[in-house]
Amino acid sequence: MNPTMLSITIALLFGIGTFMILRRDMIKVAIGITVLSHATHMLIVTSGAFLGGKVPIITSDHESGSGIIFMDDIAAGVFAPIVPEGTEMIYSDPLVQALTLTAIVISLATTAVLLILAYRVYQEHGTTDLNEIRRLKG
Amino acid sequence: MDPFIAIILAVFLPFILAGILPAVERLVKDKIGWYASGVAFLSLLLVAVAAPEVIRGGAVQSSVQWIPSMGLNLSFYIDGLSIMFGIIVSGIGVIIMSYSNGYMSTKEDLSRYYRQLLLFMGSMLGMVFSANVIQLFIFWELTSITSFMLIGYWRNRSLSVYGATKSLIVTAGGGIFMLTGFLLLNIITGTFDIGTILQDPSIITTIKGHDLFLPALVLILIGAAAKSAQGPFYIWLPNAMEAPTPVSAFLHSATMVKAGIYLIARVHPIFSGTDAWLVLVGGLGIITMVAAGFLAFRQTDIKGLLAYSTISQLGYMMAMYGYTTYQYPGIGVASATFHLLNHATFKACLFLVAGIVAHETATRDIRKMGGLRKELPFTFIIGSIAALSMAGIPPLNGFLSKEMFYESSLEIGQLLGGPFAILIPAAAVLGGVFTFAYSIKFIDGIFLGKRRNDELPKHIHEPSMIMLIPPGFLALLVIIIGLFPSAAVTYMIEPATSGILLEKANVYVSLWHGFNAALVMTIVTFIAGIAIYTRYDAIAAWQDSFNARHTKISINYVYDSIVDGAKGKSSSFAAFMQPGPIKPYLVSLLVLFIVLGTIPLILVGGLMIPPGLAFDINIYELILLCLIVVSAVGAAVMGKYIYAVLAVSAMGYLVSLVFINLKAPDLAMTQILVETLFTIIFLLVIVKVPQTFKEHLTRSVLVKDLLISSAVFVTVLVLLLNAFQGITSPFESISYYFIENSVPLAKGHNMVNVILVDFRGIDTLGEIVVICLAGLGVYNLIKSRSDSK
């Protein structure tokens, strides 16, 4: 997928999410946080996806050297780039996908807590207006 | 028993036995005080067990490893000085806790009271036996904290709270200075261990020649002065009198306030013999002695009078430890140590007597008293013995140490020569005169003469033996030490003095030592004291009128304005930093992000939009991305919750399609499952939360929020575009490892799965824990309903 277009999409989602978490309604803020987390997940996965990369599932028997190959020599001060020239990137980066998978699940947990909190606040105070809640004591 | 083990037990048993005190209280009910005094007696025995070897053989040091990497051990340094303090602390502890059985009403929270007393005693014992300064500091601050809790024992009295806070700010604050001083000492010597420094003369020579000598001395002295209420730091002690009287007797006359004196004695070998020591320690002591003695006159509260007297008496000891010259670095050490012991006996006794008087008459105002000798004959005798000892009347122990004080003052005066030969002895006599006057006032004002008015209860009677025996025992000690000083001197003062001077000391004390200059000074003291006493009320009245006229010439005024000012400043700062609604915080965070994200790019001269961007994309992908944006916009602009929620969950499903496109099938599956669950939860909540609130967007709010959102959009876009141009990483990606080893090590072909359940299995466990906690949190939130509903 074209990285430029993806970047524009992700940035737009960040902008929309930001607008929504600035609202006064707690439910709207929760929706805004969801939008932001979607954007973040896409951003992280995109950073590990390469043009022509394969799904990170090894289908055939393992071929040695099929991964990313590095020619770094830190002692000599030479740092290898992530994708050295002339090296074919065979798989999408599995690590960022594993990280994102964890992040998706965690964001479900936090959003659930946030929503229940909004529900309880509404039960106790009869409003979901953050400014109104601020004025309440106890 | 090995002295080291005995001391460890003596220090830690009070802590442990204080821990089980509530359980014991359930068994013995009101008799819990006897349990506490039993614990104190146990500590006293253990210290006594350790004593003989130290008295015979000098200092003993042993340690248990604590934090070896930092050179810190749990170590105890046992010498004559710490043994003497140990005996005083645990011995007075037994007396105080026995007395409390009569003093404290059974309605009080006895468990808390005795627990804190025991904790204090343990900390104090730990402090005096500590061999390294970090350990000493910890126990030191523990005594400050337990003192804070005991002063504030009556939590609902505002004066108690004020006094407790003041003592904590001053003494614990001073402790911080002391710690800094210790750290400087560590820079000089490279060790935290007191024993190591004391046993190596070359280290002491290094310290005395070092540039950091003076700063270290001043910082440690501030800590000691704050604890022992010397100089300007005296202000906390009079307010600490709000504590129950046994606490005042224990902490604020006999033991805790002597911690500063102990510290001075402990570092005496390290710093003494220098001009700085003489001027700072000796000068501070003399000034405090005279000033506090003078200020005692206007006290109408009997405990307040004793508090000022304590400050003044501590000034004696400070002054004597300060007497030092290059040739004779330890002139006043023996007399100071002796006075320390004597003061602990007579002052604790006086406080206990004051406690009896206040207990029986229900007031502490000396103006309402007088003539109590008829109703309280035993108390009168005991109190008079102690007060006369403080005044320095022979043959009581106060007389002996005051003689020695005069002698050492004369000696240092002559060694220094010039005006000091007159000034120092004169100041000493002046301190003695004030002491004499207020000691007589204590006897005269309470017990002699006639009752000034009849506000006192009709039937005043002697308290029970429980309250009479403890002060009586102390009064007996006052007489015995006075008449037969040799036992106390041989077994306590000489070892303690040897511990300070680091050489075998021979102290010679006797009741009659010929007609010499010191005796003349004593006689002068008595005559001048009687003369001043006749003008006592006039002086007190003058002090009162001076205070009324110059309210700002007072250290308390400075303290109050600093503390009140700090409270005001911090509350206005908090009001500024925490305006309340969440929005300002979010806005400041976002603005920070925008600034931090864009400024570096502008600074390095990078292009905001990199050249040569490719926009080619196939039509399916373009439609997918457009749909995502459309649904996000829909979620933002649609007012009704239900539509917004549906829009955002549509967006979630679309995102899973993006994941498929990005070659991440596991993520796509997870996303679909999570999104389904998420939509269900969201809809459940919305059913319960009807949409009552609708935010009315004013034009200015809308413009401002849109501006911030657009700035975030631009920043993220610029960062991403630049990132996808290929930023080279300085480090090797660790993903390579997983790709290479997925099959050989984990026998799994799906690398994402292998990472989650195998290579990073513990992380996944953490994730599951988060889910569990969130579930518990949700459950508890739903269950926790306020009582009103």
Side-chain angles (χ1 to χ4, degrees):
Chain A
M1 198 177 260
N2 180 300
T4 313
M5 299 303 274
L6 257 179
S7 304
I8 295 170
T9 311
I10 292 169
L12 272 173
L13 293 185
F14 266 104
I16 295 164
T18 307
F19 181 78
M20 292 194 73
I21 60 168
L22 292 175
R23 303 279 55 80
R24 276 167 59 186
D25 189 341
M26 274 182 90
I27 301 286
K28 292 279 181 171
V29 172
I31 295 174
I33 287 174
T34 315
V35 172
L36 280 179
S37 52
H38 283 322
T40 315
H41 299 153
M42 278 163 71
L43 166 63
I44 298 174
V45 177
T46 312
S47 72
F50 302 95
L51 286 175
K54 286 203 288 187
V55 171
I57 296 174
I58 299 166
T59 44
S60 58
D61 280 340
H62 177 70
E63 320 146 31
S64 181
S66 60
I68 311 163
I69 295 158
F70 292 93
M71 297 169 296
D72 64 318
D73 186 357
I74 294 177
V78 179
F79 298 121
I82 288 177
V83 189
E85 261 179 83
T87 308
E88 195 189 351
M89 181 65 198
I90 296 183
Y91 297 114
S92 290
D93 193 337
L95 187 61
V96 290
Q97 295 192 10
L99 284 177
T100 313
L101 203 146
T102 309
I104 290 172
V105 178
I106 301 264
S107 70
L108 169 75
T110 49
T111 316
V113 172
L114 184 68
L115 281 172
I116 301 299
L117 200 61
Y119 160 61
R120 290 288 297 130
V121 166
Y122 174 77
Q123 264 195 337
E124 294 290 327
H125 303 298
T127 181
T128 50
D129 181 0
L130 286 167
N131 284 16
E132 189 64 33
I133 292 158
R134 164 69 193 166
R135 280 192 283 277
L136 295 167
K137 293 260 168 161
Chain B
M1 198 192 291
D2 181 52
F4 180 61
I5 293 172
I7 292 304
I8 285 197
L9 286 176
V11 171
F12 288 106
L13 271 183
F15 284 100
I16 297 164
L17 295 176
I20 62 163
L21 193 135
V24 178
E25 197 199 11
R26 243 167 272 141
L27 284 178
V28 299
K29 301 279 184 308
D30 299 343
K31 300 270 181 282
I32 190 69
W34 297 111
Y35 165 77
S37 45
V39 175
F41 189 66
L42 199 61
S43 285
L44 176 65
L45 280 184
L46 286 165
V47 176
V49 163
E53 189 170 329
V54 174
I55 292 171
R56 248 182 288 117
V60 178
Q61 180 173 5
S62 289
S63 54
V64 184
Q65 290 229 321
W66 180 26
I67 312 175
S69 57
M70 286 176 69
L72 288 181
N73 296 322
L74 178 71
S75 55
F76 290 107
Y77 183 79
I78 310 160
D79 69 347
L81 179 68
S82 43
I83 287 285
M84 187 181 92
F85 264 91
I87 299 270
I88 293 178
V89 170
S90 47
I92 303 276
V94 176
I95 289 169
I96 296 299
M97 289 185 219
S98 312
Y99 175 90
S100 298
N101 283 301
Y103 185 86
M104 295 301 276
S105 149
T106 50
K107 292 188 201 81
E108 300 281 357
D109 187 354
L110 292 178
S111 162
R112 176 160 61 96
Y113 174 78
Y114 287 110
R115 196 170 61 234
Q116 287 168 359
L117 275 181
L118 285 181
L119 289 179
F120 163 75
M121 196 183 77
S123 328
M124 191 70 198
L125 287 172
M127 205 275 290
V128 296
F129 287 110
S130 288
N132 83 56
V133 290
I134 301 299
Q135 187 188 332
L136 188 147
F137 169 77
I138 291 170
F139 281 118
W140 175 280
E141 296 293 52
L142 268 178
T143 64
S144 292
I145 291 166
T146 43
S147 157
F148 163 76
M149 294 194 288
L150 282 165
I151 296 170
Y153 174 75
W154 283 301
R155 293 165 177 168
N156 42 9
R157 297 187 190 169
S158 64
L159 277 175
S160 293
V161 173
Y162 174 78
T165 316
K166 199 171 187 178
S167 82
L168 187 70
I169 290 176
V170 176
T171 58
I176 307 289
F177 283 94
M178 180 186 81
L179 179 66
T180 321
F182 286 155
L183 294 178
L184 289 187
L185 212 55
N186 177 255
I187 292 173
I188 306 173
T189 62
T191 177
F192 283 119
D193 199 85
I194 300 172
T196 314
I197 300 177
L198 292 184
Q199 276 148 16
D200 190 344
S202 68
I203 295 184
I204 295 179
T205 321
T206 319
I207 295 170
K208 286 184 179 161
H210 203 277
D211 289 341
L212 290 173
F213 172 81
L214 193 60
L217 170 60
V218 169
L219 288 168
I220 291 176
L221 183 63
I222 289 177
K227 197 80 167 177
S228 286
Q230 296 296 291
F233 303 110
Y234 83 88
I235 50 167
W236 70 269
L237 193 56
N239 290 101
M241 293 301 127
E242 293 305 323
T245 306
V247 171
S248 308
F250 190 20
L251 274 71
H252 307 124
S253 80
T255 57
M256 191 193 91
V257 288
K258 294 210 170 71
I261 305 294
Y262 165 79
L263 183 68
I264 290 297
R266 184 46 89 212
V267 300
H268 191 279
I270 304 175
F271 292 106
S272 71
T274 57
D275 289 341
W277 178 270
L278 170 68
V279 172
L280 289 171
V281 181
L284 184 70
I286 288 178
I287 291 170
T288 311
M289 166 185 80
V290 174
F294 181 64
L295 288 173
F297 280 56
R298 64 177 285 261
Q299 297 303 314
T300 52
D301 174 1
I302 49 176
K303 282 179 76 182
L305 187 144
L306 291 178
Y308 276 91
S309 132
T310 303
I311 299 167
S312 170
Q313 299 284 319
L314 293 169
Y316 277 52
M317 295 164 216
M318 203 71 148
M320 284 188 267
Y321 280 125
Y323 289 165
T324 176
T325 65
Y326 291 104
Q327 288 78 28
Y328 303 97
I331 292 168
V333 168
S335 25
T337 314
F338 193 31
H339 194 61
L340 200 153
L341 175 68
N342 295 340
H343 178 253
T345 56
F346 67 68
K347 187 54 67 64
C349 180
L350 282 174
F351 266 106
L352 296 184
V353 166
I356 293 177
V357 171
H359 197 259
E360 301 305 324
T361 62
T363 177
R364 284 173 11 203
D365 193 336
I366 201 166
R367 287 169 299 190
K368 295 181 186 164
M369 298 174 185
L372 285 171
R373 67 185 180 283
K374 296 191 197 88
E375 286 103 329
L376 305 171
F378 293 113
T379 314
F380 166 56
I381 294 169
I382 294 168
S384 303
I385 292 170
L388 291 174
S389 173
M390 180 159 77
I393 308 286
L396 304 167
N397 62 358
F399 167 73
L400 296 176
S401 48
K402 179 173 298 185
E403 287 290 276
M404 290 168 75
F405 172 53
Y406 285 165
E407 273 171 29
S408 46
S409 300
L410 277 172
E411 197 180 338
I412 186 77
Q414 272 154 15
L415 281 171
L416 292 174
F420 294 108
I422 305 293
L423 277 178
I424 293 181
V429 169
L430 191 60
V433 169
F434 291 148
T435 308
F436 183 86
Y438 63 66
S439 304
I440 299 301
K441 175 74 183 175
F442 186 83
I443 303 173
D444 188 23
I446 298 176
F447 298 107
L448 302 179
K450 279 212 182 92
R451 193 77 47 87
R452 313 284 157 83
N453 57 32
D454 42 50
E455 281 174 35
L456 296 187
K458 286 282 170 288
H459 301 289
I460 298 170
H461 51 81
E462 284 284 7
S464 65
M465 293 312 267
I466 297 174
M467 285 173 75
L468 271 178
I469 290 175
F473 177 74
L474 286 171
L476 202 63
L477 272 185
V478 165
I479 300 174
I480 291 175
I481 297 177
L483 289 175
F484 312 105
S486 58
V489 167
T490 319
Y491 293 110
M492 292 183 85
I493 308 304
E494 274 188 359
T497 313
S498 316
I500 301 171
L501 296 177
L502 303 178
E503 59 190 22
K504 189 87 190 90
N506 284 309
V507 184
Y508 176 71
V509 181
S510 74
L511 198 54
W512 174 254
H513 39 77
F515 191 80
N516 57 12
L519 197 58
V520 174
M521 283 164 77
T522 303
I523 293 167
V524 171
T525 306
F526 291 162
I527 295 168
I530 292 167
I532 287 226
Y533 187 68
T534 59
R535 308 283 305 141
Y536 193 95
D537 292 332
I539 295 171
W542 178 83
Q543 286 179 358
D544 278 337
S545 71
F546 181 87
N547 272 12
R549 269 180 288 129
H550 308 279
T551 48
K552 292 192 177 179
I553 306 179
S554 143
I555 295 163
N556 277 314
Y557 175 80
V558 176
Y559 168 85
D560 286 337
S561 51
I562 289 175
V563 171
D564 293 344
K567 279 184 197 160
K569 286 276 189 305
S570 55
S571 70
S572 58
F573 180 72
F576 170 73
M577 287 300 286
Q578 303 192 319
I582 300 167
K583 202 165 166 180
Y585 307 126
L586 273 179
V587 170
S588 49
L589 278 175
L590 289 170
V591 168
L592 184 73
F593 160 71
I594 293 163
V595 169
L596 287 184
T598 47
I599 294 254
L601 270 179
I602 296 167
L603 283 183
V604 298
L607 290 168
M608 297 295 271
I609 306 292
L613 287 176
F615 290 94
D616 55 318
I617 185 166
N618 70 45
I619 187 75
Y620 315 113
E621 291 170 346
L622 184 65
I623 291 172
L624 178 58
L625 294 183
C626 288
L627 279 176
I628 287 180
V629 174
V630 167
S631 53
V633 171
V637 296
M638 281 192 275
K640 275 207 180 303
Y641 289 159
I642 182 85
Y643 298 139
V645 170
L646 288 177
V648 83
S649 68
M651 180 189 152
Y653 290 115
L654 292 168
V655 168
S656 68
L657 290 179
V658 174
F659 287 152
I660 291 175
N661 228 301
L662 290 173
K663 307 287 190 318
D666 300 274
L667 287 187
M669 281 193 284
T670 315
Q671 179 70 32
I672 288 171
L673 290 175
V674 164
E675 199 55 47
T676 310
L677 205 52
F678 168 83
T679 311
I680 293 170
I681 296 174
F682 230 131
L683 289 175
L684 280 177
V685 168
I686 283 171
V687 168
K688 293 278 183 183
V689 182
Q691 195 163 12
T692 48
F693 169 69
K694 173 103 174 64
E695 185 181 1
H696 175 68
L697 277 176
T698 61
R699 198 183 179 80
S700 65
V701 171
L702 187 67
V703 168
K704 198 176 135 201
D705 288 357
L706 279 178
L707 208 65
I708 293 168
S709 313
S710 321
V712 169
F713 161 69
V714 171
T715 313
V716 173
L717 183 64
V718 168
L719 287 178
L720 284 183
L721 287 179
N722 282 286
F724 282 119
Q725 286 308 106
I727 293 174
T728 55
S729 152
F731 302 107
E732 195 177 307
S733 165
I734 53 172
S735 305
Y736 176 57
Y737 172 85
F738 298 115
I739 297 172
E740 281 286 271
N741 291 304
S742 181
V743 172
L745 288 183
K747 308 278 182 267
H749 289 266
N750 183 336
M751 287 183 270
V752 177
N753 283 5
V754 167
I755 291 173
L756 282 172
V757 299
D758 200 316
F759 289 121
R760 310 297 306 167
I762 302 286
D763 291 355
T764 308
L765 187 68
E767 176 196 340
I768 294 167
V769 170
V770 170
I771 298 286
C772 289
L773 286 178
L776 280 175
V778 166
Y779 177 76
N780 277 315
L781 271 172
I782 293 173
K783 291 288 272 186
S784 71
R785 286 167 197 280
S786 64
D787 299 334
S788 59
K789 303 223 165 158

